[in-house]
Amino acid sequence: MSELPKTFEPAEIEARWYQHWEERGLFRPERPEAEPFTIVIPPPNVTGSLHIGHALDNTLQDILIRHARLQGKDALWVVGMDHAGIATQMVVERNLESQGVKRTDMSRGAFVEHVWEWKAQSGGAITRQLRRLGASCDWANERFTMDEGFSRAVLKVFVQLYRDGLLYRDKRLVNWDPKFATAISDLEVETKEVQGKFWHLRYPLEDGSGFIHVATTRPETMLADMAVAVHPEDERYAAFVGKKIKLPITERLIPIVSDEHADPELGSGAVKITPGHDFNDFEVGRRAGIKAAEMLNMLDAQARVAQTQDGLVPDHLLGLDRFDARKRVVEMLEEGGFLEKAEDRTIQIPYGDRSGVVIEPWLTDQWYVDAATLAKPAIAAVRENDIRVVPKTWEKTWFNWLENIQPWCVSRQLWWGHQIPAWYDEQGDVFVAETEEEAQREAGNRLLRRDNDVLDTWFSSALWPFGTLGWPEETETLRRHYPNDVLISGFDIIFFWDARMAMQGFHFMGEKPWKTLYLHGLVRDAKGQKMSKSKGNTVDPLGLIDRYGADALRFTLAAMESQGRDIKLDEKRIEGYRNFATKLWNAARFCQSNGIGASGAIEPPAATLPVNRWIVGETVKTVQALDLAMAEFRFDESANTIYQFVWASFCDWYLELIKPVLSPAEGAGGEGAGETREVAAWVLDQILVMLHPFMPFITEELWHAMGDRPYDLILAKWPMPDARALDPEAGPEIDWLIRLISEVRAARSELNVPPSARTELLVLANAEAVALQSSNGSFQDRLLRNRHYLHRLARLDYITVFNTGTRVNLATGELIDRTIGDTTAKTPGIQLVLDDVTYMLPLEGIIDLDAERIRLTKVIAAAEKERDGLAGRLSNPSFIERAKPEAVEKARSDHAEKASDAEKYKAALSRLG
């Protein structure tokens, strides 16, 4: 046993133990015969830094993997990083530009070499940060989505999907980033509210008989308009369907078509259709019979005006930036009398989350995956409970998206990433193969050039559950650990990553990628607002670790992770759980100072004292509750279960209750003390094991500090609950004792009884009622067994049982028989009711009862006044509608608090005898 320092300082402990675990390979002990348990980490970007969302996600995963490891399973937490195509290319380009070099000044190969150099020197900072959090990943087998083995898997999947007819090249609209000149995913698009305009235009009919009125936020796109749509049931336009409009500026003739996309209740009911520059219009155009190859594109890759296929865009507009073109087009429309009005509007505009520029829906040739076909087994798996989604409410979202899924654009116009394994001959014929040599064999003597595009990073990360395990090779690791057991994921990537893993897993492995999909919410600030740099309310998890320790942050995130709800992260909660760690530390120091060390027993020691039999039973009940909560992925319940047991049952009660037993000065040492030390040591060991998945650092430190151990805590054995340890007599008795002491303490506190004052307790009930309180001998025996506790913790000197006349001296155990008349029941004091037995705490001469009644009456009135004021505010619809959500929530919380205070003090007043 090594003596613990007085103060718990987490920083040194965390660094020392993490290095110890990793260097000794304890994150992945060899257990080839054990039941496998597998989690794959959502691969963070190689450019990334740990944010609070990462901290939540990885804390939950680490809890599960440490728990499985303690259960003796072959626990594998696959770790690695995503190459993050656009993010990494942007970082490296910025570094080169700081040196006066542009990417376009060098060859593709030279640039890619620069990226690999950057990764070796600066990439992967997040993996070091995950270590600080305590993530016990299989670092010895860390993967990277661009490593050789994984890259082979990516190429094989592309080629196989192509040969299966599930991957093809097509012309469709994409989210186009003009700054980076590449398609991007929906996840990389950030929609913002901005102040814009709504331009109302007058489109002339071809025959000169009138105008059709349309409105748009992007008047420049009229250069590529191909139709005007009206609703098929809109009688105002029934006679116009099939007629043509002569567009201003280009004089292009376009048809008026009927389509349900047009809303008769919105504006004029007619909408301009630009299939090449709007996602909704693209679908309208297709329904109108316009083929993608015929759709007009009036912008180039940098969002400058380009000539359309029909050559009708005026030359003086060509080459203009889209926003400059907007101004010029509006001027031309106004000059021609085609601008009816322009009104200011707040509009939603898509921006690139990294480039910061407005994203353009752009018609271009890209590679697509037939997601609708691949989605079918993923839909069936959730519907048939082959994949369990937790919480179940997310199933509806899963079905809605997958049942209406669109083709998946998987090509990107970048240099960094998996270059698409497709080669073209001079006629544009394509040859898809895993290697250039294979493609050349298929093409014969034709000269080939490789596709310049790379694959979307979501395409490669969709293979993560099996590509990291050795696929396409049939490895033993793949056989044992696929399908994975659980995927922990933020709900925000359920479409981009989770569903695509399911699609690829079923297609290439013939089986689900994981048995359970657990979706957690967002981490918000203490007021419930979404964190963002612009609001200045983001929190740095590393800073929180510096201030409070990793264990406190981890426990906070687990305790607040309630299924289906976001987390409102308040730093006070983290501080509170740091105090929890300190309380456990001090409890261990108390044990050391009283000769309690490490327990060598797996099974609970034999116990005779009720307090020891009680704590053994409470330990077993805690293990049972914890096992149930963990099986249901109730992280909050799991954390609260172990918290309540450690803080209340063990520290506040058990350690206090055994002090008289351990103290010779109180005459309770000897044989009982030896048993108590054994039990206390065993219980503390069980606590350290149960708490380890949540707070790994402090528990490992205390595990070793309590004595010599044959193994580290990280490899200990998870407790096995044995219902036989639940004592039917000791449990109820100690429960009664704790509740009685708590009632006495609460009464003293409510009435401001001085802490130093010692009192008597009267039992106001007949002998039969009192006898029912004990299933182990008489009530008198129970009092004698627990006199030390009542004397010390309730600050009672005597307990007198009314009517029987029995009085117990709690300090000595002496029984005093005396006759007590009815006047005893009328003694001024406060009444307590416990299990249908009424007790009286005489307070005459200790406090001024009349003054206390006056004080309580005033406190009640003040609480009720505040309660009613808050109730009035909450019943006002104007307040609910106009106030900020956090203000409404605070008012509700304050109302509940004041209502509770009023009831509490009313009860105290009514109990005064």
Side-chain angles (χ1 to χ4, degrees):
M1 186 186 303
S2 56
E3 185 178 353
L4 288 166
K6 183 177 181 181
T7 306
F8 168 53
E9 298 291 347
E12 184 274 332
I13 291 171
E14 292 170 2
R16 172 162 45 83
W17 280 116
Y18 199 93
Q19 182 180 3
H20 172 90
W21 293 326
E22 186 172 4
E23 287 179 350
R24 286 162 177 75
L26 302 183
F27 295 151
R28 186 74 200 290
E30 291 188 13
R31 295 172 175 173
E33 304 302 321
E35 176 189 348
F37 182 86
T38 313
I39 294 178
V40 294
I41 195 172
N45 286 354
V46 66
T47 58
S49 294
L50 190 75
H51 58 61
I52 197 65
H54 289 134
L56 169 63
D57 202 84
N58 287 279
T59 292
L60 301 182
Q61 292 175 76
D62 197 47
I63 288 170
L64 294 181
I65 209 73
R66 287 181 183 269
H67 178 243
R69 195 181 292 122
L70 290 167
Q71 289 178 313
K73 296 179 181 178
D74 179 17
L76 170 62
W77 187 5
V78 176
V79 67
M81 291 185 295
D82 192 288
H83 64 279
I86 194 169
T88 304
Q89 181 160 319
M90 182 179 71
V91 168
V92 175
E93 282 195 55
R94 190 183 299 138
N95 289 345
L96 290 171
E97 288 171 0
S98 68
Q99 303 167 29
V101 180
K102 291 185 177 180
R103 171 174 63 91
T104 51
D105 294 338
M106 62 183 71
S107 68
R108 179 180 190 141
F111 177 76
V112 170
E113 285 183 14
H114 275 287
V115 179
W116 281 108
E117 290 173 4
W118 172 86
K119 176 185 179 294
Q121 295 172 6
S122 306
I126 194 168
T127 62
R128 295 186 290 276
Q129 295 163 350
L130 284 171
R131 286 171 166 88
R132 288 204 60 195
L133 186 66
S136 57
C137 310
D138 183 19
W139 296 109
N141 295 294
E142 184 178 352
R143 301 304 302 268
F144 182 51
T145 52
M146 284 285 285
D147 68 32
E148 183 178 352
F150 201 86
S151 294
R152 183 187 168 204
V154 171
L155 296 181
K156 185 174 182 64
V157 164
F158 185 96
V159 173
Q160 190 62 51
L161 288 174
Y162 178 80
R163 291 174 179 170
D164 292 342
L166 296 171
L167 189 146
Y168 54 91
R169 194 161 174 80
D170 196 8
K171 185 183 291 290
R172 295 178 63 92
L173 280 183
V174 297
N175 295 312
W176 186 261
D177 189 316
K179 180 176 180 178
F180 294 136
T182 182
I184 62 174
S185 72
D186 290 341
L187 192 63
E188 295 163 313
V189 177
E190 182 181 6
T191 301
K192 300 179 182 179
E193 278 193 353
V194 301
Q195 292 303 310
K197 288 185 180 296
F198 223 47
W199 284 273
H200 295 259
L201 311 180
R202 303 166 70 229
Y203 278 7
L205 292 164
E206 177 189 16
D207 59 11
S209 61
F211 296 88
I212 296 290
H213 296 261
V214 298
T216 180
T217 59
R218 303 167 67 211
E220 71 281 3
T221 62
M222 60 88 59
L223 298 173
D225 278 359
M226 298 189 73
V228 166
V230 296
H231 196 277
E233 298 178 2
D234 192 337
E235 295 180 358
R236 295 172 297 174
Y237 296 110
F240 292 91
V241 175
K243 291 187 177 183
K244 293 191 176 181
I245 282 172
K246 186 175 184 180
L247 275 179
I249 301 180
T250 64
E251 299 187 346
R252 179 182 302 117
L253 295 177
I254 62 174
I256 299 173
V257 300
S258 64
D259 194 280
E260 292 183 352
H261 171 65
D263 185 353
E265 304 298 324
L266 186 62
S268 69
V271 290
K272 61 187 286 296
I273 302 300
T274 318
H277 295 283
D278 183 278
F279 288 102
N280 289 321
D281 291 2
F282 178 82
E283 297 300 331
V284 174
R286 294 212 307 179
R287 289 194 291 270
I290 304 173
K291 297 179 181 178
E294 300 169 345
M295 293 179 183
L296 301 178
N297 194 340
M298 45 81 58
L299 295 174
D300 65 12
Q302 284 72 42
R304 298 171 302 206
V305 176
Q307 188 55 271
T308 54
Q309 294 97 304
D310 58 11
L312 296 179
V313 177
D315 290 346
H316 64 88
L317 295 177
L318 299 179
L320 288 180
D321 174 79
R322 54 185 163 164
F323 300 117
D324 293 332
R326 176 176 299 173
K327 296 176 184 176
R328 183 65 187 121
V329 165
V330 169
E331 290 172 357
M332 295 173 70
L333 290 170
E334 189 171 19
E335 291 167 1
F338 302 112
L339 177 64
E340 183 177 339
K341 64 177 179 178
E343 58 179 324
D344 293 331
R345 283 278 187 93
T346 299
I347 56 177
Q348 304 281 331
I349 298 293
Y351 285 82
D353 64 347
R354 292 185 176 88
S355 67
V357 303
V358 175
I359 295 303
E360 194 67 42
W362 200 51
L363 192 63
T364 178
D365 292 310
Q366 302 284 348
W367 287 94
Y368 289 89
V369 168
D370 179 1
T373 299
L374 290 178
K376 291 177 182 177
I379 295 171
V382 172
R383 201 177 299 282
E384 296 165 8
N385 294 317
D386 191 31
I387 291 177
R388 175 189 177 195
V389 178
V390 181
K392 194 175 179 65
T393 50
W394 281 107
E395 287 185 1
K396 184 178 180 181
T397 303
W398 180 273
F399 295 137
N400 285 346
W401 189 70
L402 287 177
E403 289 170 352
N404 298 283
I405 198 168
Q406 296 296 308
W408 173 18
C409 177
V410 296
S411 47
R412 298 291 183 266
Q413 290 63 55
L414 302 170
W415 281 3
W416 172 244
H418 298 104
Q419 190 171 357
I420 289 176
W423 286 262
Y424 304 91
D425 64 15
E426 294 177 341
Q427 286 73 43
D429 296 325
V430 64
F431 300 89
V432 174
E434 292 183 44
T435 65
E436 185 173 3
E437 292 75 18
E438 185 181 345
Q440 193 65 65
R441 282 196 301 272
E442 293 180 18
N445 295 326
R446 284 175 280 189
L447 184 65
L448 298 180
R449 61 172 179 82
R450 188 168 184 176
D451 195 310
N452 283 323
D453 291 351
V454 300
L455 286 164
D456 175 17
T457 53
W458 294 109
F459 183 91
S460 51
S461 61
L463 317 182
W464 198 244
F466 56 92
T468 53
L469 302 178
W471 190 90
E473 301 296 329
E474 295 183 4
T475 65
E476 178 65 14
T477 302
L478 180 64
R479 185 190 68 80
R480 280 180 56 77
H481 293 280
Y482 190 93
N484 309 160
D485 286 85
V486 186
L487 176 73
I488 301 287
S489 170
F491 73 84
D492 52 337
I493 56 173
I494 185 174
F495 310 135
F496 302 100
W497 192 46
D498 306 343
R500 288 166 178 169
M501 278 189 287
M503 290 190 286
Q504 299 287 41
F506 277 110
H507 189 73
F508 288 96
M509 297 298 296
E511 193 173 359
K512 62 200 171 196
W514 6 259
K515 301 165 188 173
T516 299
L517 170 61
Y518 181 90
L519 297 162
H520 61 75
L522 299 175
V523 182
R524 299 179 178 271
D525 70 8
K527 297 179 179 179
Q529 294 185 342
K530 190 173 181 179
M531 293 185 184
S532 69
K533 292 180 180 178
S534 60
K535 292 180 182 176
N537 63 346
T538 58
V539 295
D540 175 16
L542 297 178
L544 295 174
I545 290 173
D546 288 338
R547 290 194 290 281
Y548 304 107
D551 286 333
L553 175 60
R554 289 168 59 106
F555 201 89
T556 303
L557 294 171
M560 300 186 75
E561 171 52 27
S562 180
Q563 288 181 14
R565 300 179 64 182
D566 290 343
I567 289 176
K568 295 180 182 179
L569 186 64
D570 189 337
E571 198 165 325
K572 292 180 180 177
R573 288 288 295 267
I574 307 174
E575 182 179 1
Y577 290 126
R578 191 272 315 276
N579 295 341
F580 172 57
T582 300
K583 191 175 185 76
L584 177 64
W585 183 270
N586 291 335
R589 292 184 70 246
F590 169 84
C591 288
Q592 285 188 339
S593 67
N594 283 276
I596 300 168
S599 171
I602 299 296
E603 300 295 328
T608 58
L609 293 181
V611 68
N612 289 331
R613 302 203 311 273
W614 166 77
I615 196 62
V616 168
E618 291 299 300
T619 305
V620 170
K621 286 195 287 186
T622 300
V623 176
Q624 291 174 332
L626 193 53
D627 283 345
L628 181 61
M630 290 291 288
E632 295 298 319
F633 299 96
R634 297 284 181 181
F635 293 97
D636 53 346
E637 288 184 18
S638 300
N640 187 57
T641 295
I642 186 65
Y643 176 89
Q644 292 299 331
F645 176 67
V646 173
W647 189 287
S649 300
F650 185 70
C651 295
D652 282 356
W653 288 110
Y654 180 68
L655 294 185
E656 286 298 323
L657 291 172
I658 64 174
K659 282 180 179 178
V661 181
L662 299 176
S663 173
E666 298 201 35
E671 188 174 330
E675 169 196 305
T676 300
R677 290 188 177 93
E678 288 184 17
V679 171
W682 179 82
V683 174
L684 181 56
D685 270 11
Q686 307 314 299
I687 286 173
L688 297 179
V689 177
M690 288 188 286
L691 190 56
H692 179 75
F694 302 87
M695 304 180 96
F697 295 109
I698 187 174
T699 52
E700 188 75 80
E701 179 73 6
L702 295 178
W703 177 261
H704 288 277
M706 298 308 294
D708 295 332
R709 305 283 190 173
Y711 46 79
D712 291 313
L713 177 59
I714 193 174
L715 299 183
K717 184 177 180 180
W718 186 257
M720 297 293 290
D722 187 346
R724 290 174 298 180
L726 300 176
D727 193 306
E729 295 178 352
E733 177 166 322
I734 300 301
D735 175 67
W736 165 84
L737 175 67
I738 289 172
R739 289 185 293 122
L740 179 58
I741 293 172
S742 298
E743 287 288 333
V744 171
R745 284 174 166 178
R748 290 171 62 104
S749 174
E750 288 171 3
L751 300 177
N752 292 327
V753 175
S756 60
R758 302 193 66 85
T759 63
E760 180 175 6
L761 185 67
L762 307 180
V763 184
L764 306 181
N766 59 42
E768 289 77 11
V770 171
L772 292 174
Q773 300 301 303
S774 177
S775 60
N776 183 20
S778 68
F779 186 69
Q780 179 177 297
D781 292 338
R782 173 180 281 191
L783 291 177
L784 290 173
R785 282 195 301 272
N786 296 291
R787 66 182 181 84
H788 293 291
Y789 312 133
L790 294 167
H791 184 250
R792 284 184 64 254
L793 302 178
R795 302 197 67 76
L796 298 174
D797 284 337
Y798 296 93
I799 290 184
T800 301
V801 181
F802 184 63
N803 281 352
T804 67
T806 303
R807 193 182 199 208
V808 180
N809 183 323
L810 297 178
T812 65
E814 179 185 5
L815 294 178
I816 306 169
D817 291 326
R818 75 182 202 188
T819 301
I820 304 175
D822 291 341
T823 55
T824 306
K826 300 175 183 178
T827 302
I830 186 168
Q831 290 187 357
L832 314 173
V833 179
L834 188 67
D835 298 334
D836 297 326
V837 174
T838 303
Y839 299 81
M840 170 68 76
L841 198 65
L843 297 174
E844 189 173 33
I846 298 175
I847 61 172
D848 185 334
L849 291 173
D850 290 334
E852 190 59 29
R853 289 189 185 93
I854 294 171
R855 183 187 74 83
L856 285 172
T857 301
K858 290 180 179 178
V859 169
I860 292 168
E864 288 180 335
K865 182 179 180 180
E866 290 191 59
R867 176 200 65 192
D868 296 342
L870 289 162
R873 191 187 308 176
L874 289 168
S875 65
N876 184 347
S878 178
F879 171 72
I880 300 296
E881 292 171 5
R882 296 180 182 179
K884 292 183 178 180
E886 54 267 27
V888 175
E889 183 64 29
K890 185 176 188 306
R892 286 178 176 146
S893 175
D894 290 346
H895 175 264
E897 181 183 349
K898 295 304 175 184
S900 175
D901 287 348
E903 293 305 314
K904 179 177 70 174
Y905 292 119
K906 277 183 182 178
L909 182 60
S910 68
R911 289 202 301 266
L912 275 176

